[in-house]
Amino acid sequence: LVLVTPCLAGRRADAEEGEGARIVGAFLAGLFDGVVTVDPHLYGAADFADAVPARHAIVVSAVPLLAELAAARRPRPLLLAMDGAGMPWVQRAAARHGFDQANCVRAADGEVGPPADLDLNGRAVVIVGEVACSVDALARLAQRLRHAGARSVDVAVTHAVFAHDALQALRAAGIDEVWSSDSVPHPSNAVSVAPLIAQALYSIGCV
């Protein structure tokens, strides 16, 4: 019996919720022989098998698909993580094509923005991550990037956990395009994880 959960729901990875994630992971492992998911947040666990100790604990990633899309849409983009937790996704996407990469920093006013020494003049910037749910944070970051001279600002995320009016708000803030996988049905869906999930199921003899 295998559970396929393309978007394994998660929240901020503080200590209490990290422990809760381990409890839920053990619970799932007791119910299913295998769990297949897409780009999960691991709450500090070493890997997905540590978080969900099922016989088959499989992660597939939409990041290579999104990196290919970014490469096709924007010449030599700068890939940007909103925080340290998002850097693994940025690093994987950047390594795909040798793109430049950077991590946002918290400014003196408490807002997240690009590093002060990062030259954004005329650059195409793609904000990359596993999940996007805070429209306000993305909008404010986009405004800072535009103010610093970015030629274009796009968002590429695996899981588009957005409210219904998110795209309009993001475009109003200066974000050109939002690309996501279909792990969560949304108008921004640009790549499909279905073939990746099918391959994962095949690898453990389910299809």
Side-chain angles (χ1 to χ4, degrees):
L1 185 63
V2 176
L3 171 66
V4 175
T5 172
C7 182
L8 189 61
R11 298 177 295 169
R12 293 179 62 86
D14 60 26
E16 292 79 11
E17 287 164 355
E19 181 61 29
R22 284 187 286 274
I23 292 170
V24 172
F27 175 69
L28 292 177
L31 293 174
F32 298 97
D33 300 296
V35 178
V36 179
T37 192
V38 183
D39 289 333
H41 193 90
L42 296 179
Y43 300 97
D47 54 34
F48 188 57
D50 181 46
V52 182
R55 180 153 55 107
H56 302 290
I58 301 178
V59 170
V60 300
S61 180
V63 170
L65 301 177
L66 292 167
E68 293 293 336
L69 183 63
R73 299 284 184 89
R74 302 289 181 243
R76 303 295 303 167
L78 166 68
L79 305 188
L80 188 66
M82 288 191 68
D83 54 36
M87 275 306 291
W89 282 270
V90 165
Q91 289 166 348
R92 289 206 301 271
R96 189 92 176 165
H97 292 279
F99 294 151
D100 293 337
Q101 58 184 284
N103 188 16
C104 285
V105 297
R106 193 163 296 279
D109 59 4
E111 291 291 331
V112 171
D117 59 350
L118 185 63
D119 183 9
L120 293 173
N121 191 40
R123 296 295 303 267
V125 180
V126 179
I127 304 168
V128 178
E130 89 282 19
V131 63
C133 54
S134 175
V135 172
D136 289 342
L138 277 173
R140 292 194 299 270
L141 175 57
Q143 290 167 351
R144 283 178 174 266
L145 294 171
R146 289 289 193 177
H147 183 72
R151 182 179 78 253
S152 64
V153 179
D154 303 297
V155 175
V157 293
T158 297
H159 310 296
V161 188
F162 284 129
H164 68 281
D165 59 347
L167 290 180
Q168 295 91 324
L170 292 174
R171 287 177 181 136
I175 290 177
D176 296 275
E177 296 187 41
V178 179
W179 309 313
S180 66
S181 83
D182 57 357
S183 66
V184 177
H186 190 264
S188 65
N189 292 166
V191 298
S192 177
V193 296
L196 303 177
I197 292 172
Q199 185 176 15
L201 294 174
Y202 182 81
S203 73
I204 56 176
C206 288
V207 293

